[in-house]
Amino acid sequence: MTPHNEAKKGDIAKVVLMPGDPLRAKFIAETFLENAVCFNTVRGMLGYTGLYNGKRVSVMGSGMGMPSMGIYSYELYHCYDVEAIIRIGTAGGIADGVELRDLVLAMGACTDSNFAHQYRLPGTFAPTASFELLEKAVQTAREKNLRYRVGNVVTSDIFYGDCENETAEWKKMGVLAVEMETAALYMTAARAGKQALSITTVSDLPLKGESTSSEERQKTFTQMMEVALAVASEAVDGHDK
């Protein structure tokens, strides 16, 4: 057990889906997993393990922001022997052509955070997804005929920013969407020598003032859940039956 997770070794599968919202983790467990068992309730950060298409998969909330994602993903990789984490969350679409409810598969993650400072690198680290997981997600999205984009996101430490033009500046660099966890997940995975992928659904368009409701974000963004579960169930074959 850790200060943030009461699970015992073996309670958590080798592949974990991580929504930011713990209630989304509960929804996924109740909707998609068979024989789901709750392994964590500490701080209300719910986690479950069950079966998806006969494969053992876990789902657990990460909370909001890079520090929270950094804590939970670190513990899963280092304390519970998790091999792959797939973030499933929401993002604000900023690139032209990105629409509400589109899927964004994060090939890379820019950031305004100082999170990478801890690694004492002699330069700037570029956090990227595990290609194996990304390739499977793209394949699944195509097979399901879903609207999706692949490219850079920007992981921001700031939700209520004091600079009005920051999002527009990232758009100039071809960034697809803004969110708050992916870069921390990708860096933590890289340092641990593990796999990671971030799949988000566009919940709002901050440059256009369009958005979805909190209930929609919690319960109706099932396309990214289904894609993530398809990726997870295939990844399980290489790690944990």
Side-chain angles (χ1 to χ4, degrees), residues 135-146:
E135 183 179 37
K136 177 58 180 175
V138 170
Q139 178 185 344
T140 303
R142 284 176 177 166
E143 290 172 353
K144 292 179 175 292
N145 198 31
L146 304 178

Side-chain angles (χ1 to χ4, degrees), residues 38-60:
C38 182
F39 61 75
N40 187 61
T41 60
V42 175
R43 293 176 176 260
M45 199 58 70
L46 303 174
Y48 302 83
T49 298
L51 297 177
Y52 181 77
N53 289 341
K55 309 292 180 62
R56 192 164 180 262
V57 175
S58 293
V59 56
M60 180 181 181

Side-chain angles (χ1 to χ4, degrees), residues 193-214:
K194 302 295 181 77
Q195 293 183 299
L197 174 65
S198 176
I199 303 173
T200 59
T201 300
V202 176
S203 60
D204 61 288
L205 302 173
L207 297 177
K208 296 181 179 180
E210 300 177 23
S211 65
T212 57
S213 70
S214 58

Side-chain angles (χ1 to χ4, degrees), residues 209-227:
E210 300 177 23
S211 65
T212 57
S213 70
S214 58
E215 185 174 0
E216 283 181 285
R217 292 192 292 272
Q218 182 180 317
K219 296 182 177 180
T220 69
F221 291 172
T222 56
Q223 290 181 341
M224 71 174 170
M225 300 173 191
E226 292 170 353
V227 171

Side-chain angles (χ1 to χ4, degrees), residues 38-105:
C38 182
F39 61 75
N40 187 61
T41 60
V42 175
R43 293 176 176 260
M45 199 58 70
L46 303 174
Y48 302 83
T49 298
L51 297 177
Y52 181 77
N53 289 341
K55 309 292 180 62
R56 192 164 180 262
V57 175
S58 293
V59 56
M60 180 181 181
S62 71
M64 289 190 291
M66 292 181 68
S68 188
M69 171 59 85
I71 289 170
Y72 287 108
S73 61
Y74 182 97
E75 291 180 351
L76 289 175
Y77 285 135
H78 291 274
C79 303
Y80 292 100
D81 301 321
V82 168
E83 294 294 333
I85 295 175
I86 303 171
R87 161 165 157 70
I88 43 175
T90 56
I94 60 176
D96 291 336
V98 174
E99 299 180 5
L100 290 177
R101 300 179 181 81
D102 282 357
L103 300 188
V104 173
L105 311 180

Side-chain angles (χ1 to χ4, degrees), residues 8 23-24 37 39 43 104 107 128 137 158 219-220 229 238:
K8 299 179 178 63
L23 291 180
R24 191 181 297 134
V37 175
F39 61 75
R43 293 176 176 260
V104 173
M107 182 166 57
T128 58
I158 303 165
K219 296 182 177 180
T220 69
L229 285 164

